Amino acid sequence: MTWADEVIGRRTGECYRQGAEHGEVNAMFNFGGFLSSAGQDADAIRWYEEAARQGNVRAAIQLAALLDDRFQGGQPDGSRGACASADYPTMGQPMTWSSWRLRRTALS
């Protein structure tokens, strides 16, 4: 990556952040993607979740994909995710929006 690419990337991220903080749903989605590509999945989940709450379907899909990786142990080093299967007896079954909300509430 060149120096110019790095500067453009930072400015793009900053624009997405400002838009997201001002309530722009598409900026929330884009900022979530920016954060996820930078390896900041916990922050990305926050923005995808907010965009999904406001009706952005693409954000809901990305949120589900990130959570699926975390709950099912999709770590790059092959280690388990943050939650053990014993904590979630329905592991391996499709996660519906309502089951995700229940799990989210349990983790809060």
Side-chain angles (χ1 to χ4, degrees):
M1 175 182 287
T2 67
W3 177 84
D5 291 336
E6 195 173 313
V7 170
I8 290 170
R10 278 196 308 260
R11 287 185 181 165
T12 300
E14 181 61 21
C15 288
Y16 289 154
R17 183 190 63 76
Q18 287 178 4
E21 289 177 349
H22 284 93
E24 170 54 45
V25 176
N26 289 325
M28 291 175 192
F29 170 76
N30 289 332
F31 192 45
F34 178 82
L35 292 168
S36 182
S37 67
Q40 299 176 27
D41 288 347
D43 292 327
I45 287 171
R46 172 183 170 230
W47 288 107
Y48 281 145
E49 183 178 27
E50 186 58 37
R53 279 190 185 129
Q54 294 187 33
N56 188 304
V57 175
R58 294 182 313 158
I61 292 167
Q62 288 301 113
L63 176 62
L66 277 175
L67 291 175
D68 185 57
D69 283 349
R70 293 183 110 199
F71 283 120
Q72 295 194 24
Q75 306 300 319
D77 63 359
S79 63
R80 295 200 47 87
C83 303
S85 292
D87 297 333
Y88 298 95
T90 59
M91 278 299 186
Q93 296 177 12
M95 183 183 289
T96 64
W97 181 254
S98 59
S99 67
W100 176 82
R101 284 180 45 213
L102 289 173
R103 290 178 185 171
R104 176 86 166 108
T105 302
L107 292 173
S108 298

